[in-house]
Amino acid sequence: MRLLTASASPFARKVLACAIARGVDGGIELVPTDAWSSPAELLAGNPLSKVPVLLLEDGTAVFDSPVICDLLDTLGAAPSLMPAAGPARLRAAVMQALADGIMDAAVARRVAAALPQDEGRRAADARQKGVVERGLARLEAAPPEGLADVGAIAAACALGYLDFRFAHEPWREAHPRLAAWLASVEGHPALVRSAPK
Ligand SMILES: N[C@@H](CCC(=O)N[C@@H](CS)C(=O)NCC(=O)O)C(=O)O
């Protein structure tokens, strides 16, 4: 399998971290891909021109990141990252959606920051910043436990992206439970080996 990926993408990190946690990363070739320049191989796999995309041996292109994580969960022998159907599964799925939403907003802020700033852009940035802040507040109210499911991995990747791109907007002091949780899991090989660069 080949993973079209980008070392700074929190979505690509989530997929790689899931692959490492599932013990299947050895079967995946990482292909650095600049989504913004829309190379032909990326567009052939994903017309939305976004990474990550997992290309299977039979040519099937799998996106977006929750779908790839679902697929990875069917491979290998390590414990599943998807709890069995029921409240725990729902909690993991909703946490992944929340973390992905934080990533979406933070990535949008990062992209827009490079553009000329007018009143409209400042308003758009404030809106996305609000998304991140409300997302963090929701995670703080019920932080993940451990790193045993896709929701927790997604949350760690969202926080890691904030540290990577928004270090000038520290979040730990206002979210002590979340900070303590991240400190307790950040040495996990799935996070260490997928850290953004
Ligand atoms: N919902 C997608 C989001 C992926 C995404 O936004 N990827 C960004 C990089 S972090 C990207 O490729 N952006 C390129 C673009 O929007 O043109 C997923 O979960 O995979």
Side-chain angles (χ1 to χ4, degrees):
M1 294 181 288
R2 304 174 78 232
L3 182 67
L4 307 188
T5 186
S7 60
S9 165
F11 299 97
R13 183 188 188 191
K14 177 182 61 169
V15 164
L16 179 57
C18 285
I20 294 168
R22 296 278 303 143
V24 298
D25 56 301
I28 299 176
E29 178 194 353
L30 302 182
V31 183
T33 302
D34 176 13
W36 304 101
S37 63
S38 298
E41 186 177 34
L42 176 61
L43 291 188
N46 182 357
L48 308 177
S49 190
K50 289 180 192 291
V51 292
V53 179
L54 186 65
L55 302 176
L56 308 187
E57 303 301 340
D58 68 358
T60 304
V62 183
F63 60 93
D64 56 11
S65 61
V67 184
I68 301 173
C69 292
D70 263 348
L71 173 69
L72 293 174
D73 214 59
T74 66
L75 310 176
S80 170
L81 298 172
M82 308 285 175
R89 187 180 186 89
L90 202 53
R91 176 170 148 79
V94 171
M95 188 172 290
Q96 178 177 205
L98 180 62
D100 284 3
I102 293 172
M103 295 179 201
D104 271 327
V107 169
R109 290 189 69 202
R110 164 82 184 173
V111 171
L115 303 172
Q117 300 297 305
D118 58 15
E119 201 179 320
R121 282 231 167 81
R122 280 192 289 275
D125 182 69
R127 183 168 170 77
Q128 299 291 12
K129 192 172 181 204
V131 169
V132 172
E133 287 170 353
R134 290 191 300 274
L136 289 176
R138 182 65 64 93
L139 286 174
E140 174 70 7
E145 292 165 17
L147 199 71
D149 65 52
V150 68
I153 289 175
C157 294
L159 297 173
Y161 186 75
L162 296 181
D163 285 340
F164 182 57
R165 291 298 197 204
F166 293 88
H168 54 287
E169 293 180 14
W171 57 268
R172 283 176 175 73
E173 196 174 324
H175 306 88
R177 300 173 71 204
L178 205 46
W181 167 74
L182 187 62
S184 75
V185 297
E186 63 193 355
H188 191 293
L191 296 181
V192 172
R193 290 176 47 207
S194 64
K197 294 189 239 330

